[in-house]
Amino acid sequence: MLIHEMKIQECRDALAQASLARLACEMDGQPYAVPVYLVYDGNYLFGFSTLGFKIDCMRANPLVCVEIDDVKSQHEWMCVLVFGSYEELPDTPENEAARARAHELLKKRAMWWEPACVVHRDYPRSLAPIFYRIHIDRMTGHRASPDPVEVHPAPPAKPRSLLSRSLGRVLPK
Ligand SMILES: Cc1cc2nc3c(=O)[nH]c(=O)nc-3n(C[C@H](O)[C@H](O)[C@H](O)COP(=O)(O)OP(=O)(O)OC[C@H]3O[C@@H](n4cnc5c(N)ncnc54)[C@H](O)[C@@H]3O)c2cc1C
């Protein structure tokens, strides 16, 4: 398998095609990662949520990491990591344009609001809508492809039974 560093434009193209991401944040040093839908726009990823632990985490520490990938096989895959910071977009006049842009992009996916609004019966919470964006500080992408000249190693040998090991010791080679 060969691993290639993706160019920034390749990372941008991959982000533009992806919608499901893994969003990693932290609280008091404990990492927390959840799947979320995000949409890519220039230097931002826009998302929609309701109140809950990930929002608590990002309010406490806005630094986040976002992962997207496309795995065709063990030898053929692509993965992009985005390092950035969380910005909530409350319903205020100065956020009007950013919220409108987020809504315009997110609503391209049918029922775009639904995953954020499903309430677990053990974790009741407010359903007040939260639009947010991740400012992209930097990103890296790796793409793997099968190595045409790679010699695939033989599978590990089956462990020999006690009998065959004992016979191996006493029988002539
Ligand atoms: C395909 C997909 C797309 C999604 N898209 C979105 C989206 O766009 N926006 C959005 O807000 N949510 C989305 N979700 C749901 C998201 O993954 C979280 O479950 C949800 O947002 C609640 O997260 P929270 O931090 O607010 O948890 P809380 O409601 O505060 O949950 C409390 C506890 O439940 C556990 N928990 C929470 N989420 C999960 C999980 N996914 N798996 C296992 N344990 C969990 C954690 O231990 C957490 O501390 C999506 C889920 C999937 C599977």
Side-chain angles (χ1 to χ4, degrees), residues 4-18 20-24 38 40 45 64-71 77-83 136 138-144:
H4 313 268
E5 197 72 37
M6 290 164 66
K7 297 196 167 61
I8 287 299
Q9 189 54 48
E10 287 179 274
C11 295
R12 292 182 183 283
D13 293 345
L15 286 174
Q17 279 176 23
L20 184 60
R22 269 77 190 178
L23 171 65
L38 295 174
Y40 171 65
L45 291 163
V64 297
C65 183
V66 173
E67 188 264 6
I68 61 143
D69 57 55
D70 181 18
V71 179
W77 48 261
M78 168 289 290
C79 179
V80 174
L81 296 183
V82 170
F83 302 86
I136 299 176
R138 67 186 181 91
M139 52 187 154
T140 58
H142 286 179
R143 183 182 294 286

Side-chain angles (χ1 to χ4, degrees), residues 19-23 25 32-38 46-57 106 109 112-120 122-125 130 132:
S19 64
L20 184 60
R22 269 77 190 178
L23 171 65
C25 43
Y32 181 68
V34 277
V36 288
Y37 288 113
L38 295 174
F46 285 104
F48 178 72
S49 182
T50 51
L51 268 181
F53 189 60
K54 69 177 174 311
I55 297 294
D56 292 344
C57 288
L106 287 163
R109 195 171 49 76
W112 59 276
W113 43 269
E114 193 188 30
C117 295
V118 177
V119 178
H120 192 297
D122 294 341
Y123 304 105
R125 59 174 185 209
I130 296 177
Y132 64 91

Side-chain angles (χ1 to χ4, degrees), residues 76-173:
E76 198 176 353
W77 48 261
M78 168 289 290
C79 179
V80 174
L81 296 183
V82 170
F83 302 86
S85 54
Y86 169 78
E87 182 193 6
E88 206 160 302
L89 299 169
D91 191 3
T92 56
E94 64 271 23
N95 289 321
E96 203 177 305
R99 284 171 63 93
R101 183 68 178 148
H103 186 224
E104 180 192 344
L105 295 170
L106 287 163
K107 75 177 186 191
K108 290 182 182 167
R109 195 171 49 76
M111 307 280 283
W112 59 276
W113 43 269
E114 193 188 30
C117 295
V118 177
V119 178
H120 192 297
R121 63 178 173 192
D122 294 341
Y123 304 105
R125 59 174 185 209
S126 149
L127 286 183
I130 296 177
F131 286 95
Y132 64 91
R133 63 185 174 187
I134 308 292
H135 291 248
I136 299 176
D137 295 329
R138 67 186 181 91
M139 52 187 154
T140 58
H142 286 179
R143 183 182 294 286
S145 57
D147 183 349
V149 295
E150 193 171 76
V151 179
H152 292 287
K158 268 173 57 181
R160 293 168 68 202
S161 68
L162 183 60
L163 177 64
S164 71
R165 273 183 281 148
S166 310
L167 287 174
R169 268 189 235 120
V170 293
L171 291 176
K173 301 239 157 101

